[in-house]
Amino acid sequence: MKTALITGVTGQDGAYLSAFLLDKGYAVHGMRPYAPLDDTANIRSVMDHDHFTLHTGDLTDSGSLMRCLADIAPDEIYNLGAISHVKESFHAPEAALNVNGGGTLKLLEAIRTLNMTDAVRFYQASSSELFGNAPAPQNEHTPFDPCSPYAASKLYAYAITKNYRNAYGLHAANGILFNHESPLRGEEFVTRKITRGIAAILAGKQDHLTLGNLDAKRDWGHARDYVHGMWLMLQQDTPDDYVLATGQARSVRDFVETACAHAGITLEWRGSGLDETGIDTKTGHTLIRIDEKFYRPHEVTHLCGDAAKARDTLGWTPDIGFKALVTDMMNADMAANGVDLSHRNDDNTDHVYTLYAAE
Ligand code: NAP
Ligand code: GDD
């Protein structure tokens, strides 16, 4: 039985990857930092699996990494742990560097110190944020242009991973992943904020949704497809770096419109800039407002990936398209908010949103 260690196991990708590897017959060891409150909601479905073990460890703490590695002796390590919110990294840039950059170095050094270099394969969660505002489409040859402390910290992690591959022969791969989402996506990321917000409005729990830059474009895929790509990278004889992407970019505005359409709402945009609003054409209610505080000091405006190398070498292509992604997220958030669209009453525009809520 193969053994895998996943850092950042309680995050979106950690949860999907755990389920994927358990399904493949791996023994999965997940690492998460000490948390005073229960942070295992995402991995509840795998926690009781006989071959899943949860460890406390921190990427900023070499001793905990060494102990985890020595105890587990993994065949594969997936380094997903990170401070992953780009906007937050502007507020705490040193923390981003210490966890995302320094943490990766500490993990690589632990592998080397424990003489595990020839025994393990290492996946580094690199990011399309490395490309910043380099012209789209971006692929493995596109020059990096990091536009945030998060991206700068991930650039260090990318480089040091490559360095351990070249200097010490470690089987190490950088997955340069474009945005991928799911019902388990953190609530502070824009896609989940939108699907949760619309579901809460439909349930009568929230009046409107406030967003930042509606025109930023991202290449959004489904996390389920992307964890498969991570695994494929570690099954190759020769380690390398790969972009994973759908090749289709959509704006935040497109995402909002698609999510609303799923709930039968047609939006009309009025005004511009910070005064722009999104109005429900049926009810006249203002559903979307803009606030400057959700903009970043330096915006990344257009990420769209070219994953030809992953397709040709790994045989990886994403199965879940944009509309299916939005549908999956909307259905999960509507169910969580008790919204049942069959309760809709199109003739009644008074308190229309509470009418969607199931009894
Ligand atoms: P996520 O949901 O934010 O999960 C990140 C995980 O890292 C959380 O479980 C977090 O634990 C953990 N973590 C934070 N600080 C840590 C520390 N000091 N030591 C150990 N673990 C720590 O992120 P995700 O979306 O699953 O993404 C997984 C990885 O892929 C991240 O490295 C991210 O930067 C990268 N990535 C993501 C995307 C994407 O679109 N999702 C795209 C490209 C790259 P707590 O919650 O307890 O803090
Ligand atoms: N979070 C957020 N909240 N973003 C907003 C909002 C808002 O209210 N309004 C507009 N946006 C815009 C952001 O300005 C950005 O251009 C875009 O929506 C996507 O933002 P996020 O969902 O926060 O993701 P991200 O692209 O910055 O970063 C994610 O993807 C990276 C890969 O490209 C994260 O998962 C990173 O960890 C990952 O590396």
Side-chain angles (χ1 to χ4, degrees), residues 299-340:
E299 285 283 334
V300 169
T301 54
H302 187 187
L303 289 175
C304 184
D306 161 16
K309 181 177 172 185
R311 183 194 61 219
D312 297 345
T313 313
L314 306 177
W316 180 87
T317 48
D319 285 334
I320 305 169
F322 180 70
K323 202 158 174 225
L325 167 70
V326 178
T327 299
D328 191 25
M329 295 179 72
M330 279 299 292
N331 284 343
D333 278 322
M334 289 195 303
N337 279 280
V339 174
D340 178 353

Side-chain angles (χ1 to χ4, degrees), residues 7-15 31-35 39 42 57-61 65 79-85 98-100 123-129 150 154 175-181 184-186 188-189 220 223 226 230:
T7 72
V9 73
T10 55
Q12 169 190 261
D13 291 4
M31 199 191 86
R32 54 142 184 193
Y34 164 73
D39 63 347
N42 281 347
D58 199 299
L59 283 163
T60 61
D61 183 309
L65 299 177
N79 184 31
L80 310 185
I83 291 181
S84 74
H85 199 279
N98 290 341
V99 176
N100 304 352
Y123 172 86
Q124 171 56 22
S126 287
S127 164
S128 53
E129 275 291 305
Y150 168 81
K154 283 284 186 177
I176 309 171
L177 270 49
F178 283 65
N179 299 48
H180 45 280
E181 321 291 310
L184 302 186
R185 184 55 143 154
E188 65 279 27
F189 298 95
W220 280 300
Y226 287 58
M230 295 175 189

Side-chain angles (χ1 to χ4, degrees), residues 10-313:
T10 55
Q12 169 190 261
D13 291 4
Y16 279 98
L17 183 63
S18 296
F20 176 87
L21 293 176
L22 287 168
D23 206 42
K24 285 233 169 280
Y26 280 62
V28 175
H29 294 261
M31 199 191 86
R32 54 142 184 193
Y34 164 73
L37 298 175
D38 183 14
D39 63 347
T40 55
N42 281 347
I43 52 170
R44 215 152 276 156
S45 64
V46 298
M47 289 268 284
D48 292 334
H49 196 290
D50 287 346
H51 298 135
F52 182 83
T53 314
L54 194 55
H55 303 256
T56 299
D58 199 299
L59 283 163
T60 61
D61 183 309
S62 297
S64 68
L65 299 177
M66 299 273 283
R67 279 191 296 280
C68 266
L69 284 189
D71 288 351
I72 299 162
D75 301 294
E76 297 174 6
I77 300 173
Y78 295 86
N79 184 31
L80 310 185
I83 291 181
S84 74
H85 199 279
V86 173
K87 176 98 191 296
E88 286 309 311
S89 77
F90 285 96
H91 298 304
E94 279 184 48
L97 176 62
N98 290 341
V99 176
N100 304 352
T104 304
L105 174 63
K106 285 183 170 67
L107 194 49
L108 290 165
E109 266 300 275
I111 293 169
R112 196 163 76 98
T113 308
L114 292 167
N115 294 319
M116 291 181 164
T117 306
D118 295 333
V120 299
R121 295 184 172 198
F122 183 83
Y123 172 86
Q124 171 56 22
S126 287
S127 164
S128 53
E129 275 291 305
L130 297 178
F131 298 121
N133 284 316
Q138 297 96 359
N139 65 21
E140 295 81 1
H141 303 293
T142 305
F144 295 135
D145 176 26
C147 293
S148 64
Y150 168 81
S153 69
K154 283 284 186 177
L155 181 55
Y156 175 80
Y158 167 91
I160 199 68
T161 298
K162 206 165 173 172
N163 182 245
Y164 273 60
R165 179 167 80 215
N166 295 331
Y168 306 118
L170 177 67
H171 190 296
N174 279 292
I176 309 171
L177 270 49
F178 283 65
N179 299 48
H180 45 280
E181 321 291 310
S182 74
L184 302 186
R185 184 55 143 154
E187 294 165 8
E188 65 279 27
F189 298 95
V190 77
T191 56
R192 188 74 201 293
K193 184 174 166 183
I194 293 166
T195 58
R196 273 189 93 228
I198 293 170
I201 292 169
L202 292 171
K205 296 176 185 168
Q206 186 173 321
D207 180 65
H208 64 276
L209 176 61
T210 307
L211 297 169
N213 183 1
L214 292 174
D215 296 315
K217 288 187 177 150
R218 290 292 184 275
D219 178 333
W220 280 300
H222 198 296
R224 195 181 295 285
D225 283 332
Y226 287 58
V227 300
H228 180 208
M230 295 175 189
W231 175 78
L232 284 172
M233 287 179 215
L234 294 200
Q235 310 316 306
Q236 306 307 303
D237 290 339
T238 309
D240 206 344
D241 306 325
Y242 298 91
V243 159
L244 298 186
T246 71
Q248 306 271 323
R250 303 278 195 327
S251 65
V252 173
R253 188 188 301 279
D254 294 333
F255 197 102
V256 174
E257 287 174 2
T258 308
C260 282
H262 181 77
I265 297 171
T266 307
L267 276 187
E268 183 187 323
W269 299 100
R270 291 193 196 148
S272 61
L274 296 178
D275 295 325
E276 187 164 8
T277 51
I279 316 276
D280 180 340
T281 52
K282 211 175 279 170
T283 64
H285 188 77
T286 301
L287 294 184
I288 310 294
R289 296 182 190 276
I290 307 299
D291 192 321
E292 206 172 3
K293 76 176 177 205
F294 295 114
Y295 280 72
R296 282 110 201 246
H298 190 175
E299 285 283 334
V300 169
T301 54
H302 187 187
L303 289 175
C304 184
D306 161 16
K309 181 177 172 185
R311 183 194 61 219
D312 297 345
T313 313

